[in-house]
Short mmCIF file of all heavy atoms in Angstrom, two decimals:
data_model
loop_
_atom_site.label_atom_id
_atom_site.label_comp_id
_atom_site.label_asym_id
_atom_site.label_seq_id
_atom_site.Cartn_x
_atom_site.Cartn_y
_atom_site.Cartn_z
N ALA A 1 0.87 -1.18 0.04
CA ALA A 1 0.00 0.03 0.03
C ALA A 1 0.84 1.25 0.05
O ALA A 1 1.87 1.28 0.67
CB ALA A 1 -0.90 -0.05 1.24
N ASP A 2 0.47 2.21 -0.77
CA ASP A 2 1.03 3.62 -0.75
C ASP A 2 0.03 4.67 -0.53
O ASP A 2 -1.24 4.35 -0.12
CB ASP A 2 1.78 3.89 -2.11
CG ASP A 2 0.92 3.74 -3.25
OD1 ASP A 2 -0.35 3.74 -3.14
OD2 ASP A 2 1.48 3.73 -4.38
N ASP A 3 0.37 5.90 -0.59
CA ASP A 3 -0.71 6.94 -0.33
C ASP A 3 -1.82 6.83 -1.26
O ASP A 3 -1.69 6.54 -2.46
CB ASP A 3 -0.02 8.33 -0.54
CG ASP A 3 1.21 8.59 0.54
OD1 ASP A 3 1.06 7.90 1.62
OD2 ASP A 3 1.97 9.52 0.26
N GLY A 4 -2.96 7.10 -0.65
CA GLY A 4 -4.31 6.98 -1.44
C GLY A 4 -4.84 5.61 -1.38
O GLY A 4 -6.03 5.50 -1.84
N VAL A 5 -4.30 4.66 -0.90
CA VAL A 5 -4.85 3.26 -0.80
C VAL A 5 -5.84 3.20 0.32
O VAL A 5 -5.57 3.65 1.52
CB VAL A 5 -3.88 2.18 -0.59
CG1 VAL A 5 -4.48 0.87 -0.23
CG2 VAL A 5 -3.11 1.92 -1.94
N ASP A 6 -7.01 2.76 0.15
CA ASP A 6 -7.98 2.63 1.14
C ASP A 6 -7.65 1.28 1.91
O ASP A 6 -8.15 0.15 1.40
CB ASP A 6 -9.36 2.55 0.56
CG ASP A 6 -10.54 2.30 1.68
OD1 ASP A 6 -10.18 2.38 2.83
OD2 ASP A 6 -11.65 2.15 1.27
N LEU A 7 -7.09 1.43 3.05
CA LEU A 7 -6.69 0.22 3.83
C LEU A 7 -7.89 -0.57 4.41
O LEU A 7 -7.74 -1.69 4.85
CB LEU A 7 -5.65 0.65 4.90
CG LEU A 7 -4.41 1.13 4.51
CD1 LEU A 7 -3.64 1.59 5.68
CD2 LEU A 7 -3.64 0.21 3.61
N ASN A 8 -9.07 -0.04 4.32
CA ASN A 8 -10.31 -0.69 4.88
C ASN A 8 -11.15 -1.23 3.66
O ASN A 8 -12.14 -1.76 3.96
CB ASN A 8 -11.15 0.34 5.60
CG ASN A 8 -10.47 0.75 6.97
OD1 ASN A 8 -9.98 -0.10 7.63
ND2 ASN A 8 -10.36 2.10 7.11
N GLU A 9 -10.67 -1.22 2.56
CA GLU A 9 -11.28 -1.84 1.38
C GLU A 9 -11.58 -3.38 1.59
O GLU A 9 -10.74 -4.08 2.06
CB GLU A 9 -10.54 -1.63 0.08
CG GLU A 9 -11.31 -2.10 -1.14
CD GLU A 9 -10.62 -1.95 -2.48
OE1 GLU A 9 -9.50 -1.39 -2.53
OE2 GLU A 9 -11.16 -2.13 -3.52
N LYS A 10 -12.79 -3.79 1.28
CA LYS A 10 -13.16 -5.18 1.38
C LYS A 10 -13.34 -5.83 0.03
O LYS A 10 -13.56 -5.18 -0.98
CB LYS A 10 -14.43 -5.30 2.15
CG LYS A 10 -14.60 -4.45 3.46
CD LYS A 10 -13.76 -4.89 4.54
CE LYS A 10 -14.12 -4.35 5.83
NZ LYS A 10 -14.09 -2.87 5.99
N ARG A 11 -13.06 -7.09 0.07
CA ARG A 11 -13.36 -8.02 -1.15
C ARG A 11 -14.86 -8.00 -1.38
O ARG A 11 -15.60 -8.05 -0.49
CB ARG A 11 -12.62 -9.24 -1.09
CG ARG A 11 -13.13 -10.18 0.03
CD ARG A 11 -12.12 -11.37 0.10
NE ARG A 11 -12.73 -12.43 0.93
CZ ARG A 11 -12.10 -13.51 1.29
NH1 ARG A 11 -10.83 -13.77 0.89
NH2 ARG A 11 -12.66 -14.45 2.15
N PRO A 12 -15.28 -8.03 -2.61
CA PRO A 12 -16.82 -7.83 -3.00
C PRO A 12 -17.65 -8.90 -2.51
O PRO A 12 -18.85 -8.73 -2.31
CB PRO A 12 -16.72 -7.60 -4.50
CG PRO A 12 -15.50 -8.21 -5.03
CD PRO A 12 -14.48 -8.04 -3.92
N TRP A 13 -17.14 -10.18 -2.37
CA TRP A 13 -18.08 -11.30 -2.23
C TRP A 13 -18.42 -11.60 -0.70
O TRP A 13 -19.42 -12.18 -0.49
CB TRP A 13 -17.59 -12.64 -2.87
CG TRP A 13 -16.25 -13.23 -2.40
CD1 TRP A 13 -16.14 -14.04 -1.41
CD2 TRP A 13 -14.97 -12.85 -2.90
NE1 TRP A 13 -14.87 -14.32 -1.26
CE2 TRP A 13 -14.09 -13.60 -2.15
CE3 TRP A 13 -14.50 -12.07 -3.93
CZ2 TRP A 13 -12.70 -13.57 -2.45
CZ3 TRP A 13 -13.16 -11.89 -4.14
CH2 TRP A 13 -12.26 -12.72 -3.35
N ASP A 14 -17.54 -11.07 0.21
CA ASP A 14 -17.97 -11.37 1.57
C ASP A 14 -17.43 -10.34 2.60
O ASP A 14 -17.50 -10.58 3.80
CB ASP A 14 -17.39 -12.83 2.07
CG ASP A 14 -15.85 -12.83 1.99
OD1 ASP A 14 -15.33 -11.87 1.63
OD2 ASP A 14 -15.35 -13.86 2.28
N ASN A 15 -16.95 -9.25 2.02
CA ASN A 15 -16.59 -8.07 2.89
C ASN A 15 -15.47 -8.37 3.88
O ASN A 15 -15.32 -7.75 4.87
CB ASN A 15 -17.72 -7.48 3.78
CG ASN A 15 -18.71 -6.79 2.87
OD1 ASN A 15 -18.38 -6.07 2.00
ND2 ASN A 15 -20.01 -7.06 3.05
N GLU A 16 -14.43 -9.25 3.43
CA GLU A 16 -13.30 -9.41 4.27
C GLU A 16 -12.28 -8.41 3.70
O GLU A 16 -12.13 -8.11 2.49
CB GLU A 16 -12.80 -10.88 4.00
CG GLU A 16 -13.65 -11.90 4.67
CD GLU A 16 -13.50 -12.02 6.14
OE1 GLU A 16 -12.48 -11.55 6.71
OE2 GLU A 16 -14.47 -12.40 6.87
N VAL A 17 -11.31 -7.95 4.60
CA VAL A 17 -10.38 -6.99 4.19
C VAL A 17 -9.34 -7.55 3.15
O VAL A 17 -9.08 -8.78 3.25
CB VAL A 17 -9.63 -6.47 5.41
CG1 VAL A 17 -10.54 -5.63 6.35
CG2 VAL A 17 -8.88 -7.43 6.24
N ILE A 18 -8.71 -6.72 2.40
CA ILE A 18 -7.76 -7.17 1.43
C ILE A 18 -6.33 -6.65 1.79
O ILE A 18 -5.36 -7.13 1.12
CB ILE A 18 -8.21 -6.82 -0.02
CG1 ILE A 18 -8.36 -5.30 -0.13
CG2 ILE A 18 -9.46 -7.64 -0.29
CD1 ILE A 18 -8.66 -4.87 -1.59
N TRP A 19 -6.20 -5.74 2.69
CA TRP A 19 -4.87 -5.16 3.00
C TRP A 19 -4.56 -5.58 4.45
O TRP A 19 -5.43 -5.58 5.28
CB TRP A 19 -4.78 -3.55 2.92
CG TRP A 19 -4.97 -3.21 1.54
CD1 TRP A 19 -5.98 -2.74 0.82
CD2 TRP A 19 -3.81 -3.11 0.59
NE1 TRP A 19 -5.72 -2.36 -0.47
CE2 TRP A 19 -4.46 -2.56 -0.64
CE3 TRP A 19 -2.53 -3.48 0.59
CZ2 TRP A 19 -3.64 -2.41 -1.70
CZ3 TRP A 19 -1.70 -3.27 -0.57
CH2 TRP A 19 -2.28 -2.80 -1.70
N HIS A 20 -3.33 -5.99 4.65
CA HIS A 20 -2.87 -6.57 5.89
C HIS A 20 -1.61 -5.95 6.46
O HIS A 20 -0.69 -5.66 5.64
CB HIS A 20 -2.72 -8.13 5.64
CG HIS A 20 -3.89 -8.74 5.06
ND1 HIS A 20 -4.98 -9.15 5.72
CD2 HIS A 20 -4.10 -8.98 3.73
CE1 HIS A 20 -5.89 -9.56 4.84
NE2 HIS A 20 -5.23 -9.61 3.72
N PRO A 21 -1.54 -5.63 7.70
CA PRO A 21 -0.30 -4.98 8.28
C PRO A 21 0.82 -5.99 8.61
O PRO A 21 0.65 -6.99 8.98
CB PRO A 21 -0.95 -4.35 9.59
CG PRO A 21 -2.02 -5.25 10.02
CD PRO A 21 -2.54 -5.82 8.78
N TYR A 22 2.03 -5.31 8.42
CA TYR A 22 3.22 -6.02 8.85
C TYR A 22 4.38 -5.05 9.16
O TYR A 22 4.75 -4.30 8.21
CB TYR A 22 3.68 -6.92 7.82
CG TYR A 22 4.81 -7.93 8.43
CD1 TYR A 22 4.47 -9.10 8.89
CD2 TYR A 22 6.24 -7.53 8.29
CE1 TYR A 22 5.61 -9.98 9.48
CE2 TYR A 22 7.18 -8.32 8.86
CZ TYR A 22 6.80 -9.57 9.37
OH TYR A 22 7.97 -10.18 9.96
N ASN A 23 4.74 -4.84 10.40
CA ASN A 23 5.83 -3.86 10.73
C ASN A 23 5.57 -2.51 10.21
O ASN A 23 6.55 -2.02 9.75
CB ASN A 23 7.11 -4.49 10.50
CG ASN A 23 7.57 -5.61 11.40
OD1 ASN A 23 6.94 -5.82 12.39
ND2 ASN A 23 8.59 -6.28 10.99
N GLY A 24 4.34 -2.02 10.17
CA GLY A 24 4.21 -0.66 9.82
C GLY A 24 3.86 -0.48 8.28
O GLY A 24 3.49 0.56 7.81
N ARG A 25 4.04 -1.60 7.60
CA ARG A 25 3.58 -1.59 6.15
C ARG A 25 2.35 -2.54 5.94
O ARG A 25 1.96 -3.31 6.77
CB ARG A 25 4.72 -2.15 5.28
CG ARG A 25 6.02 -1.29 5.37
CD ARG A 25 7.11 -1.86 4.47
NE ARG A 25 6.71 -1.59 3.06
CZ ARG A 25 7.45 -2.01 2.02
NH1 ARG A 25 8.36 -2.90 2.28
NH2 ARG A 25 7.04 -1.82 0.82
N TRP A 26 1.66 -2.29 4.79
CA TRP A 26 0.41 -3.03 4.44
C TRP A 26 0.71 -3.66 3.18
O TRP A 26 1.11 -3.04 2.15
CB TRP A 26 -0.78 -2.13 4.44
CG TRP A 26 -1.08 -1.51 5.67
CD1 TRP A 26 -0.43 -0.48 6.38
CD2 TRP A 26 -2.15 -1.81 6.53
NE1 TRP A 26 -1.01 -0.20 7.48
CE2 TRP A 26 -2.13 -0.93 7.72
CE3 TRP A 26 -3.11 -2.75 6.51
CZ2 TRP A 26 -3.01 -1.09 8.67
CZ3 TRP A 26 -4.15 -2.90 7.48
CH2 TRP A 26 -4.10 -1.97 8.52
N TYR A 27 0.36 -5.06 3.11
CA TYR A 27 0.51 -5.78 1.86
C TYR A 27 -0.78 -6.34 1.46
O TYR A 27 -1.83 -6.55 2.20
CB TYR A 27 1.47 -6.99 2.05
CG TYR A 27 1.07 -8.04 3.12
CD1 TYR A 27 0.29 -9.08 2.71
CD2 TYR A 27 1.46 -7.83 4.45
CE1 TYR A 27 -0.02 -10.06 3.71
CE2 TYR A 27 1.09 -8.83 5.32
CZ TYR A 27 0.37 -9.90 5.04
OH TYR A 27 0.01 -10.79 5.91
N TYR A 28 -1.06 -6.59 0.14
CA TYR A 28 -2.28 -7.01 -0.34
C TYR A 28 -2.42 -8.55 -0.40
O TYR A 28 -1.49 -9.21 -0.74
CB TYR A 28 -2.29 -6.57 -1.90
CG TYR A 28 -3.49 -6.87 -2.69
CD1 TYR A 28 -4.73 -6.18 -2.45
CD2 TYR A 28 -3.62 -7.79 -3.75
CE1 TYR A 28 -5.88 -6.44 -3.20
CE2 TYR A 28 -4.67 -7.99 -4.42
CZ TYR A 28 -5.86 -7.40 -4.16
OH TYR A 28 -6.99 -7.51 -4.86
N GLY A 29 -3.54 -9.02 0.20
CA GLY A 29 -3.78 -10.44 0.19
C GLY A 29 -5.25 -10.66 0.10
O GLY A 29 -5.97 -10.62 1.16
N VAL A 30 -5.75 -10.94 -1.08
CA VAL A 30 -7.18 -11.00 -1.26
C VAL A 30 -7.82 -12.19 -0.63
O VAL A 30 -9.01 -12.19 -0.26
CB VAL A 30 -7.55 -10.81 -2.85
CG1 VAL A 30 -7.26 -12.24 -3.52
CG2 VAL A 30 -9.01 -10.42 -2.98
N PHE A 31 -6.93 -13.23 -0.37
CA PHE A 31 -7.46 -14.42 0.29
C PHE A 31 -6.99 -14.56 1.68
O PHE A 31 -6.96 -15.66 2.24
CB PHE A 31 -7.00 -15.79 -0.60
CG PHE A 31 -7.73 -15.75 -1.83
CD1 PHE A 31 -6.99 -15.63 -3.07
CD2 PHE A 31 -9.00 -16.15 -2.00
CE1 PHE A 31 -7.67 -15.51 -4.28
CE2 PHE A 31 -9.73 -16.14 -3.19
CZ PHE A 31 -8.96 -15.93 -4.37
N GLY A 32 -6.66 -13.46 2.36
CA GLY A 32 -6.27 -13.39 3.64
C GLY A 32 -4.87 -13.17 3.96
O GLY A 32 -4.04 -13.12 3.08
N GLY A 33 -4.55 -12.73 5.24
CA GLY A 33 -3.28 -12.24 5.62
C GLY A 33 -2.25 -13.36 5.52
O GLY A 33 -1.03 -12.98 5.28
N SER A 34 -2.54 -14.66 5.58
CA SER A 34 -1.64 -15.75 5.49
C SER A 34 -1.24 -16.01 4.01
O SER A 34 -0.43 -16.91 3.79
CB SER A 34 -2.14 -17.02 6.18
OG SER A 34 -3.40 -17.40 5.52
N SER A 35 -1.94 -15.22 3.08
CA SER A 35 -1.71 -15.67 1.71
C SER A 35 -1.52 -14.27 0.85
O SER A 35 -2.34 -13.93 0.06
CB SER A 35 -2.97 -16.41 1.10
OG SER A 35 -3.12 -17.63 1.81
N PRO A 36 -0.34 -13.67 0.96
CA PRO A 36 -0.10 -12.50 0.18
C PRO A 36 -0.09 -12.68 -1.30
O PRO A 36 0.54 -13.74 -1.81
CB PRO A 36 1.29 -12.04 0.59
CG PRO A 36 1.95 -13.35 1.19
CD PRO A 36 0.85 -14.12 1.83
N ASP A 37 -0.75 -11.91 -2.07
CA ASP A 37 -0.79 -12.07 -3.51
C ASP A 37 0.53 -11.67 -4.19
O ASP A 37 1.31 -10.79 -3.67
CB ASP A 37 -1.84 -11.09 -4.04
CG ASP A 37 -3.27 -11.58 -3.99
OD1 ASP A 37 -3.65 -12.19 -2.80
OD2 ASP A 37 -3.96 -11.41 -4.93
N LEU A 38 0.72 -12.43 -5.21
CA LEU A 38 2.02 -12.18 -5.93
C LEU A 38 1.79 -10.96 -6.92
O LEU A 38 0.63 -10.78 -7.41
CB LEU A 38 2.50 -13.41 -6.80
CG LEU A 38 3.04 -14.47 -5.90
CD1 LEU A 38 3.02 -15.82 -6.72
CD2 LEU A 38 4.48 -14.14 -5.43
N ASN A 39 2.83 -10.30 -7.29
CA ASN A 39 2.72 -9.13 -8.14
C ASN A 39 3.08 -9.49 -9.58
O ASN A 39 4.32 -9.53 -9.89
CB ASN A 39 3.63 -7.94 -7.57
CG ASN A 39 3.60 -6.84 -8.64
OD1 ASN A 39 2.79 -6.60 -9.51
ND2 ASN A 39 4.81 -6.00 -8.59
N TYR A 40 2.07 -9.81 -10.35
CA TYR A 40 2.46 -10.22 -11.72
C TYR A 40 2.66 -9.15 -12.72
O TYR A 40 3.01 -9.34 -13.89
CB TYR A 40 1.30 -11.22 -12.31
CG TYR A 40 1.58 -12.55 -11.74
CD1 TYR A 40 0.70 -13.07 -10.55
CD2 TYR A 40 2.41 -13.45 -12.31
CE1 TYR A 40 0.89 -14.29 -10.08
CE2 TYR A 40 2.56 -14.75 -11.78
CZ TYR A 40 1.77 -15.19 -10.66
OH TYR A 40 1.94 -16.46 -10.17
N GLU A 41 2.64 -7.92 -12.15
CA GLU A 41 3.18 -6.75 -13.03
C GLU A 41 4.70 -6.97 -13.13
O GLU A 41 5.34 -6.37 -14.06
CB GLU A 41 2.85 -5.38 -12.33
CG GLU A 41 1.37 -5.16 -12.22
CD GLU A 41 0.64 -4.93 -13.53
OE1 GLU A 41 1.28 -4.79 -14.54
OE2 GLU A 41 -0.53 -4.81 -13.54
N ASN A 42 5.35 -7.67 -12.19
CA ASN A 42 6.73 -7.99 -12.28
C ASN A 42 7.06 -9.17 -13.23
O ASN A 42 6.61 -10.25 -12.87
CB ASN A 42 7.22 -8.25 -10.75
CG ASN A 42 8.77 -8.51 -10.67
OD1 ASN A 42 9.44 -8.63 -11.63
ND2 ASN A 42 9.24 -8.49 -9.38
N GLU A 43 7.80 -8.99 -14.20
CA GLU A 43 7.97 -10.02 -15.09
C GLU A 43 8.79 -11.17 -14.59
O GLU A 43 8.64 -12.41 -14.99
CB GLU A 43 8.76 -9.48 -16.38
CG GLU A 43 8.77 -10.42 -17.56
CD GLU A 43 7.47 -10.77 -18.01
OE1 GLU A 43 6.50 -9.89 -18.10
OE2 GLU A 43 7.15 -11.93 -18.55
N LYS A 44 9.49 -10.91 -13.48
CA LYS A 44 10.30 -12.08 -12.82
C LYS A 44 9.29 -13.06 -12.15
O LYS A 44 9.55 -14.26 -12.09
CB LYS A 44 11.28 -11.54 -11.84
CG LYS A 44 12.48 -10.88 -12.43
CD LYS A 44 13.48 -10.39 -11.52
CE LYS A 44 14.86 -9.97 -12.09
NZ LYS A 44 14.71 -8.97 -13.12
#
């Protein structure tokens, strides 16, 4: 997450949060905090 991201945004089908905190930063995990999403914008 960077500036402008809504950290309280919920996924549409069941209203669970999609942003999760870790040591002051927030990462995206649409299937929960134990499953961070991979960034496929990164070709690697």
Side-chain angles (χ1 to χ4, degrees):
D2 57 14
D3 292 341
V5 167
D6 178 5
L7 298 176
N8 294 311
E9 185 180 1
K10 310 291 196 302
R11 62 190 190 189
W13 62 90
D14 64 359
N15 288 320
E16 292 287 337
V17 296
I18 59 177
W19 290 100
H20 310 277
Y22 188 92
N23 285 350
R25 299 184 69 187
W26 294 75
Y27 63 90
Y28 183 70
V30 77
F31 292 108
S34 64
S35 302
D37 278 41
L38 288 165
N39 174 22
Y40 280 98
E41 299 289 353
N42 182 347
E43 194 59 35
K44 286 184 169 53

